[in-house]
C-alpha cells in the first residue's frame, strides 16, 4: 500500500491562477520523499490540500488507502503535518500545546502527557515544557511544531520547509532526528528550499514548477541526469588561464576559475591541463550542490 | 472518530477555552463585574431610588436579572468571537482542522466555552448584586434554562462573527452596533408596559426582550412576554445558528482557501 496516492489533482484559486494542474504523485510507504520547487511553484498548496487546509478543485487523493473525499477523518489519524508558518497559540504553555493537539485526535490526557514528554525530550524542549510558547526562539518553535505533529504517532509525516530560518547546527540536528524517524518506519514528505537538505535526506524526489510535476524519480536517478557540473578551482598563485582544451572556463579573478565539466569529461584532465600551464591548484569545490544544478537546468529548460 | 474520541476532543476544546478565559481573567471576568456594579450603583441606587417599583418589586430588584442577562449575552458572544478569530488570526485554528475532530464537535466545543464564560460572569454579577438587592428566585429551572440557552445562542452567533471576520475591526462591529443597542432596548432597565403602544410593538421584534424577560420571570415571576414563547424561540435560534456554524465549518468558509 502506498502512503500517498494523488491522481489528477487540480487547484484553481477563486479569481486566481491555476495553482496545481493535474498532479499525479505516489509516495511509497517508508519513503523519505522530497518535493522541491521555487516559491509559488505549488508545494504549500499541495500540502494544504492533503492536510485539509485548502479545498481542491479536482482529482483524487488517498492516504494509506483512505480516500480523502470519503474517509478524510481516518486519513487524518495517520498523518501529521508541520506547516511552514508558526500555527500554534503562542500564549499557551509548550506542554499544553502538545496535550491539546493529542486531545483533538481523541487521545486521553494521561497518554498524551507521556508522549508529549518523550517528544519534548527528544527535541530538546523538555526544559521549556512550562514556558509560554511566545518566549521560545524561532528554532524552538519549529521543533515544537515537529513534536506536535508526532504526538498522535502518525505513519506519515508531512513537513513544509521545516528548517527554514533555522541555524546550521540545529538544522543538522533536525536532519538526524528526521532520518531516525524514517529509519523507524515513518514515511516522510518534505518540501524544502534547501536543495542540499533534499539531496541529503530524500530517497525520492519530485520537482514542481508552475503547478506541474516536471521531474520525478529517485534522488540517485535524478542526479545521474545531470549532464554537466561547474567546479571552482582555487589557484595557489595568481595566474591568467587563457583556455583549457575542450572545457568552458570562466576566470573569476586571478586566483579563481570556474570550469564547466560535462558528464563525459573528468576532473583529472582539467587538473593535468592546468598543471601543464604551470598552474598549481590550492583547492576546489562544486559551485553549487548537484541537485541545485539539476534543479536550475530543469527549470531553465521549462522556461524555454 | 469514535464516540469516546469525540468526547475527549470536545473536552479538550472546552478545557482550552475555559483555561483561556481564566488566563486572561483581568480582561474577561473583572470588567463585566465592575460595569454591572456601576449600573447597579447609578441606575439602581441613585436613580432607582426616585422611581416607584415595577410589578411589586423595587427598581433595583427589577433591573438585577436584566443586568445579569446583559453580562451573560455580551460575554458569551465576545468570548467565542474573540477566541475563534484570534485562533484564525494566529492560524492555530489549523490545529483543529488537520485533526479528525468533526465539525459538530468544534461548534459544540466553542459553544460550551462561551456558555462557561457566560455562566462565570453571570455568577459573579449575581454575587455582586447581592450587595444591592435581596435575592428572589421564583423558579430556578427557568433561570437555568434561560441563562444556558441564551448564552448558547450568543456563543453561536459570536462564532459566526468569528468565522466571517476578516480583521479585528470586524469582531467589534456587531457587539457595538447591534448587540449593545438591542440589549439596552431589550427591557433591561424598564418594562415595555411603560412604553406607548407603537414602541411596545416595535420592542417585541427585539429577540433580546424575550431573553431578558424570560430570565426575569425565573427570578421575580413577572414578565412582559410569555416565557414559554421565549424558550421556544431560543431553542429555534440555537438550532438555526448551530446549523449555520456547521455549514460554514464544513465548507471552510473564510477559513480554507
Amino acid at each position: 500500500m502506498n502512503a500517498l496516492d494523488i491522481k489528477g489533482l487540480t487547484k484553481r484559486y477563486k479569481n486566481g491562477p491555476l495553482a496545481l494542474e493535474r498532479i499525479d504523485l505516489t509516495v511509497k510507504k517508508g519513503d523519505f520523499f522530497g518535493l522541491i520547487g521555487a516559491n509559488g511553484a505549488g508545494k504549500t498548496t499541495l500540502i494544504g490540500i492533503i492536510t485539509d487546509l485548502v479545498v481542491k478543485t479536482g482529482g483524487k487523493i488517498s492516504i494509506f488507502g483512505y480516500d480523502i473525499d470519503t474517509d478524510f477523518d481516518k486519513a487524518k489519524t495517520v498523518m501529521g503535518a508541520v506547516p511552514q508558518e508558526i500555527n500554534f497559540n503562542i500564549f499557551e504553555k509548550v506542554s499544553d500545546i502538545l496535550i491539546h493537539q493529542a486531545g483533538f485526535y481523541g487521545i486521553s490526557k494521561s497518554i498524551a502527557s507521556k508522549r508529549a514528554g518523550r517528544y519534548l525530550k527528544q527535541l530538546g524542549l523538555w526544559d521549556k515544557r512550562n514556558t509560554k510558547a511566545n518566549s521560545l526562539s524561532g528554532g524552538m518553535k519549529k521543533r515544537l511544531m515537529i513534536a506536535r505533529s508526532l504526538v498522535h504517532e502518525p505513519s506519515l509525516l508531512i513537513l513544509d520547509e521545516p528548517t527554514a530560518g533555522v541555524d546550521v547546527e540545529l538544522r543538522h540536528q533536525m536532519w538526524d532526528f528526521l532520518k531516525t524517524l524514517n529509519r523507524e518506519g515513518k514515511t516522510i514528505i518534505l518540501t524544502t528550499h534547501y536543495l542540499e537538505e533534499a539531496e541529503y535526506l530524500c530517497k525520492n524526489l519530485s520537482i514542481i514548477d508552475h503547478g506541474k510535476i516536471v521531474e520525478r524519480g529517485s534522488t540517485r536517478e535524478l542526479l545521474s541526469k545531470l549532464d554537466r557540473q561547474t567546479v571552482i578551482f582555487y589557484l595557489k598563485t595568481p595566474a591568467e588561464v587563457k583556455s583549457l582544451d575542450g572545457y568552458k572556463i570562466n576566470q573569476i579573478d586571478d586566483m579563481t576559475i570556474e570550469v564547466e565539466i560535462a558528464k563525459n569529461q573528468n576532473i583529472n584532465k582539467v587538473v593535468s591541463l592546468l598543471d601543464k600551464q604551470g598552474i598549481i591548484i590550492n583547492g576546489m569545490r562544486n559551485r553549487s550542490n548537484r541537485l541545485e544544478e539539476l534543479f536550475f537546468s530543469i527549470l531553465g529548460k521549462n522556461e524555454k | 472518530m469514535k464516540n469516546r474520541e469525540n468526547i475527549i476532543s470536545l473536552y479538550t476544546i472546552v478545557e482550552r477555552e475555559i483555561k483561556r478565559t481564566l488566563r486572561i481573567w483581568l480582561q474577561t471576568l473583572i470588567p463585566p463585574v465592575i460595569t454591572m456594579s456601576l449600573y447597579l450603583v447609578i441606575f439602581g441606587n441613585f436613580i432607582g431610588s426616585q422611581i416607584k417599583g415595577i410589578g411589586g418589586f423595587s427598581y433595583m430588584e427589577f433591573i438585577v436579572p436584566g443586568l445579569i442577562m446583559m453580562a451573560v449575552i455580551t460575554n458569551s458572544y465576545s468570548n467565542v468571537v474573540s477566541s475563534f478569530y484570534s485562533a484564525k488570526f494566529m492560524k492555530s485554528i489549523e490545529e483543529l482542522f488537520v485533526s479528525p475532530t468533526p465539525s459538530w464537535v468544534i461548534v459544540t466545543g466553542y459553544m460550551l466555552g462561551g456558555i462557561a464564560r457566560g455562566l462565570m460572569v453571570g455568577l459573579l454579577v449575581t454575587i455582586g448584586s447581592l450587595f444591592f438587592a435581596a435575592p428572589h428566585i421564583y423558579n430556578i429551572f427557568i433561570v437555568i434554562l434561560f441563562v444556558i440557552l441564551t448564552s448558547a445562542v450568543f456563543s453561536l452567533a459570536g462564532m459566526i462573527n468569528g468565522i466571517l471576520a476578516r480583521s479585528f475591526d470586524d469582531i467589534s462591529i456587531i457587539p457595538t452596533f447591534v448587540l449593545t443597542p438591542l440589549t439596552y432596548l431589550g427591557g433591561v432597565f424598564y418594562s415595555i408596559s411603560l412604553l406607548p403602544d407603537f414602541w411596545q410593538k416595535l420592542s417585541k421584534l427585539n429577540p433580546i426582550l424575550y431573553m431578558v424577560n424570560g430570565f426575569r420571570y425565573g427570578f421575580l415571576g413577572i414578565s412582559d412576554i410569555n416565557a414559554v414563547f421565549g424558550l421556544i424561540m431560543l431553542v429555534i435560534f440555537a438550532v438555526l445558528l448551530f446549523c449555520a456554524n456547521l455549514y460554514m465549518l464544513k465548507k471552510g468558509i473564510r477559513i480554507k482557501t
Side-chain angles (χ1 to χ4, degrees):
Chain A
M1 185 188 294
N2 291 322
L4 177 70
D5 264 315
I6 298 178
K7 287 193 175 69
L9 183 66
T10 300
K11 171 65 186 176
R12 183 183 286 282
Y13 284 105
K14 205 176 177 185
N15 305 321
L18 196 60
L20 297 175
E21 195 177 343
R22 290 194 296 278
I23 298 269
D24 291 326
L25 201 65
T26 298
V27 177
K28 290 199 173 79
K29 190 181 169 188
D31 198 358
F32 203 132
F33 184 88
L35 185 64
I36 57 176
N39 277 333
K43 307 184 296 289
T44 301
T45 298
L46 179 60
I47 285 178
I49 293 171
I50 297 168
T51 53
D52 199 19
L53 297 174
V54 176
V55 181
K56 68 185 167 70
T57 308
K60 299 292 265 183
I61 298 178
S62 65
I63 297 156
F64 283 105
Y66 298 120
D67 186 332
I68 68 161
D69 291 327
T70 53
D71 280 325
F72 216 157
D73 286 356
K74 284 178 186 157
K76 284 176 177 181
T77 60
V78 293
M79 69 171 158
V82 180
Q84 205 175 114
E85 291 174 40
I86 305 300
N87 74 340
F88 48 73
N89 186 335
I90 54 169
F91 302 110
E92 285 183 0
K93 281 196 308 183
V94 166
S95 57
D96 281 350
I97 288 171
L98 266 60
I99 292 165
H100 289 160
Q101 186 69 22
F104 300 148
Y105 285 82
I107 296 163
S108 69
K109 205 178 249 184
S110 57
I111 296 172
S113 298
K114 281 179 199 155
R115 288 187 191 171
R118 186 167 79 231
Y119 288 114
L120 288 176
K121 279 175 191 161
Q122 282 182 13
L123 284 150
L125 291 168
W126 177 245
D127 293 344
K128 301 284 179 186
R129 64 191 179 282
N130 292 320
T131 308
K132 271 191 186 174
N134 60 356
S135 63
L136 298 181
S137 68
M140 286 175 179
K141 284 176 182 162
K142 289 272 182 184
R143 280 182 281 160
L144 175 58
M145 291 206 295
I146 293 177
R148 185 187 58 179
S149 71
L150 293 166
V151 80
H152 61 288
E153 307 206 319
S155 308
L156 170 65
L157 185 62
I158 301 170
L159 304 126
D160 193 3
E161 314 253 2
T163 58
V166 169
D167 68 54
V168 178
E169 190 187 351
L170 185 56
R171 190 180 304 162
H172 282 85
Q173 284 173 16
M174 281 164 83
W175 288 358
D176 290 341
F177 181 71
L178 295 175
K179 278 216 161 200
T180 307
L181 286 178
N182 182 243
R183 266 197 303 273
E184 287 169 358
K186 268 195 207 324
T187 309
I188 297 179
I189 298 175
L190 172 86
T191 80
T192 182
H193 273 119
Y194 302 114
L195 298 177
E196 78 274 17
E197 180 169 281
E199 187 177 344
Y200 177 70
L201 292 173
C202 299
K203 297 171 190 166
N204 290 290
L205 288 168
S206 277
I207 297 175
I208 186 167
D209 185 36
H210 293 97
K212 291 178 186 168
I213 301 289
V214 292
E215 195 63 73
R216 72 185 79 210
S218 72
T219 308
R220 196 177 296 173
E221 264 167 33
L222 288 178
L223 289 174
S224 70
K225 287 184 182 175
L226 194 62
D227 57 357
R228 57 189 62 244
Q229 59 180 315
T230 306
V231 179
I232 296 176
F233 291 88
Y234 299 100
L235 312 183
K236 190 158 191 177
T237 52
E240 192 183 341
V241 185
K242 288 193 179 99
S243 66
L244 284 177
D245 195 20
Y247 293 88
K248 192 178 164 188
I249 64 160
N250 175 28
Q251 182 126 23
I252 307 289
D253 55 44
D254 60 0
M255 300 284 283
T256 320
I257 57 165
E258 271 183 6
V259 183
E260 209 174 279
I261 300 167
K263 207 171 177 180
N264 58 353
Q265 296 175 316
N266 62 66
I267 295 173
N268 287 5
K269 178 82 174 165
V270 177
V271 173
S272 89
L273 287 169
L274 287 169
D275 190 43
K276 274 181 193 164
Q277 290 183 34
I279 295 167
I280 302 164
I281 301 160
N282 210 19
M284 60 181 224
R285 68 169 177 88
N286 276 74
R287 189 176 62 181
S288 50
N289 87 324
R290 294 177 304 155
L291 189 56
E292 204 167 302
E293 296 219 17
L294 176 73
F295 182 70
F296 286 119
S297 80
I298 289 168
L299 293 197
K301 278 178 201 163
N302 242 24
E303 288 296 318
K304 285 169 199 168
Chain B
M1 294 208 294
K2 291 173 192 158
N3 284 341
R4 187 179 171 273
E5 290 163 342
N6 282 334
I7 289 167
I8 292 173
S9 186
L10 178 65
Y11 176 81
T12 307
I13 298 171
V14 178
E15 186 197 26
R16 196 172 70 159
E17 287 301 295
I18 293 173
K19 271 186 188 170
R20 177 187 166 275
T21 300
L22 296 175
R23 191 171 59 231
I24 50 171
W25 60 277
L26 266 173
Q27 294 169 47
T28 54
L29 301 180
I30 300 304
V33 176
I34 292 172
T35 309
M36 295 307 150
S37 300
L38 288 171
Y39 278 126
L40 287 167
V41 170
I42 295 164
F43 289 102
N45 218 7
F46 300 158
I47 299 171
S49 58
Q50 311 297 314
I51 300 170
K52 67 179 173 102
I54 300 173
F57 293 94
S58 71
Y59 185 66
M60 178 73 91
E61 288 166 337
F62 178 82
I63 64 168
V64 164
L67 287 175
I68 297 169
M69 190 51 107
M70 191 161 115
V72 169
I73 288 171
T74 48
N75 281 279
S76 303
Y77 189 94
S78 60
N79 189 71
V80 182
V81 70
S82 62
S83 173
F84 196 88
Y85 182 71
S86 300
K88 239 172 76 169
F89 184 77
M90 283 192 280
K91 291 181 178 286
S92 61
I93 197 70
E94 292 177 2
E95 291 179 332
L96 275 166
F97 285 100
V98 301
S99 80
T101 302
S103 300
W104 69 265
V105 171
I106 299 175
V107 178
T108 310
Y110 273 95
M111 182 188 76
L112 292 176
I115 292 174
R117 172 155 158 204
L119 293 181
M120 278 190 256
V121 169
L123 189 66
L124 288 173
V125 173
T126 306
I127 293 167
S129 74
L130 296 177
F131 293 100
F132 300 90
H136 287 277
I137 300 282
Y138 176 71
N139 187 327
I140 189 72
F141 296 107
I142 292 179
V143 169
I144 292 169
L145 215 54
F146 264 95
V147 77
I148 289 177
L149 278 171
T150 304
S151 53
V153 164
F154 282 94
S155 300
L156 291 164
M159 189 164 179
I160 291 178
N161 191 174
I163 292 171
L164 295 177
R166 287 197 163 106
S167 68
F168 277 103
D169 290 339
D170 293 344
I171 67 171
S172 60
I173 287 172
I174 301 286
T176 308
F177 295 104
V178 182
L179 216 53
T180 307
L182 284 182
T183 311
Y184 278 77
L185 298 170
V188 172
F189 297 104
Y190 56 86
S191 162
I192 60 163
S193 62
L194 302 171
L195 300 175
D197 200 38
F198 170 77
W199 292 106
Q200 278 195 35
K201 283 180 181 156
L202 196 67
S203 293
K204 284 182 177 170
L205 296 176
N206 179 359
I208 294 179
L209 177 84
Y210 298 85
M211 300 167 194
V212 169
N213 272 279
F215 193 59
R216 183 176 287 135
Y217 181 74
F219 273 100
L220 306 178
I222 57 165
S223 173
D224 290 333
I225 52 99
N226 183 338
V228 177
F229 179 71
L231 272 178
I232 294 168
M233 211 178 63
L234 274 173
V235 172
I236 292 170
F237 270 126
V239 171
L240 288 177
L241 290 169
F242 191 92
C243 293
N245 274 298
L246 207 56
Y247 175 80
M248 285 195 282
L249 284 195
K250 275 186 185 287
K251 288 277 172 192
I253 292 170
R254 303 265 170 97
I255 297 168
K256 298 177 191 174
T257 49

